[in-house]
Structures are given as structure tokens and as C-alpha cells.
Amino acid sequence: MRIVNGTEAVFHAGEREAHRRFGVEELAREMQGTIAPQLSAGQARFMDAQAFCFITVREPSGALWSQVLPRVETPQGTYPLLAFGDARTFHFLADTERDARLLAGAGGAAGLVFVDFARGARLRVNGDLDVVDDAVLPGFRSPLGHRLMQLRVAQAYANCPARIVRMALPKE
């Protein structure tokens, strides 16, 4: 089946230009239906199974900043990487010192990539990032030196696994 409508609603101008340069405009039109404005249960399970993800934010200067976002470990224990509010919202912890640039990007757009290196699977989630009060998660209290972040999902989609290096744990 060929999808014939445009891609303006899904892809920003830079993405459309890249599609044009690489000659994949028709493929992009076909793939736009796989980009959802919310998470499926399977996507949430995939995200929840990861020990870390990669996050990119646009700083107030306009520069992009990317980093690894790991699970938070404290003397009281390890926190899950994510807490899900609903299909369009999830939360994670940011260290006030280590993640200062990430915190500076709050109030803007962010993109997260979750990769399962053993299976060669990758999921991309784009949305709006904010620092929120702990009260959004009833009974939750951020560990000392951390702030609770919230991402409101705008796009969720699987990425092509072609460039993922498959990794396996070394045999003992």
C-alpha cells in the first residue's frame, strides 16, 4: 500500500530536506504511519527493560547536547530508569550536578533513544521535557541531589536496527 499524503505533519523541515537529499521521500511517506503520538504497551515494556538510554536536548543557546541517561543508584538502592504516568507521559531522575546541561534544556524538546544491543532493537521517543514536582508521582520523593523530569511524548517509533552493533556478555 502506498501512502500518498504529505509528510509535513510528522517530519520537520530538516528531516524533509534529508529525505530529499538521500532520495527517500517516498519511503518517508510510507513510514510516517508508524510514528505514534503515544507509547504502546510493548514500547513501554521495552523502555522499562533498559538500564540506560541516550537523551538529546536543545540548550537555550540552540546547541544540541546528548548524554547517556543511566538508572540512578543511591545508598538506599537503585531507582528504575523510568516511571510511566500514562501512554503519553513518563518520568526519570536527573542528577543536579552531572545532568546540569540536561536540566538547562527543560522547557524544550528532547529526544530519547532506547537500544537493546543484544537483540539489535532501537526505539526513538521525542517530546517536550520539563522539570516537575515530585507530587506528580503520588508517594514519590526524589533522592537527594536529583530532580524529577517529565517527558510528554510527541512521537514514538522503532528505528532501523541496521547500524546497531550486537553485543553479548563475555563468557566466563
Side-chain angles (χ1 to χ4, degrees):
M1 173 174 79
R2 297 279 184 218
I3 297 174
V4 294
N5 60 329
T7 59
E8 289 74 19
V10 176
F11 300 113
H12 62 67
E15 289 169 319
R16 291 191 306 273
E17 175 61 17
H19 298 156
R20 187 193 63 73
R21 285 184 186 181
F22 291 104
V24 295
E25 292 168 294
E26 186 174 327
L27 179 60
R29 278 192 297 276
E30 292 175 7
M31 296 304 298
Q32 73 180 348
T34 66
I35 300 172
Q38 63 189 26
L39 300 170
S40 70
Q43 289 170 329
R45 280 191 300 275
F46 178 81
M47 294 162 62
D48 193 46
Q50 307 312 309
F52 64 91
C53 66
F54 303 93
I55 185 168
T56 300
V57 297
R58 184 174 303 279
E59 295 180 310
S61 68
L64 295 177
W65 170 254
S66 297
Q67 70 177 67
V68 172
L69 184 67
R71 290 181 181 158
V72 172
E73 295 186 27
T74 70
Q76 292 75 35
T78 301
Y79 287 76
L81 179 61
L82 306 170
F84 295 91
D86 55 39
R88 297 217 48 201
T89 309
F90 62 88
H91 304 87
F92 58 90
L93 291 168
D95 184 293
T96 55
E97 290 182 26
R98 182 196 69 221
D99 301 328
R101 290 180 80 173
L102 173 62
L103 288 160
L112 291 89
V113 177
F114 299 83
V115 181
D116 181 329
F117 290 97
R119 289 183 23 214
R122 178 171 50 186
L123 176 71
R124 174 75 184 221
V125 181
N126 298 321
D128 298 313
L129 183 67
D130 283 304
V131 176
V132 294
D133 189 81
D134 289 350
V136 301
L137 296 176
F140 178 77
R141 185 173 170 141
S142 292
L144 186 63
H146 290 81
R147 296 293 313 269
L148 186 63
M149 306 291 291
Q150 175 177 279
L151 189 102
R152 286 182 312 285
V153 177
Q155 298 176 327
Y157 53 97
N159 279 147
C160 173
R163 304 288 185 257
I164 299 173
V165 176
R166 298 229 169 144
M167 302 175 79
L169 294 174
K171 295 180 181 178
E172 294 182 19

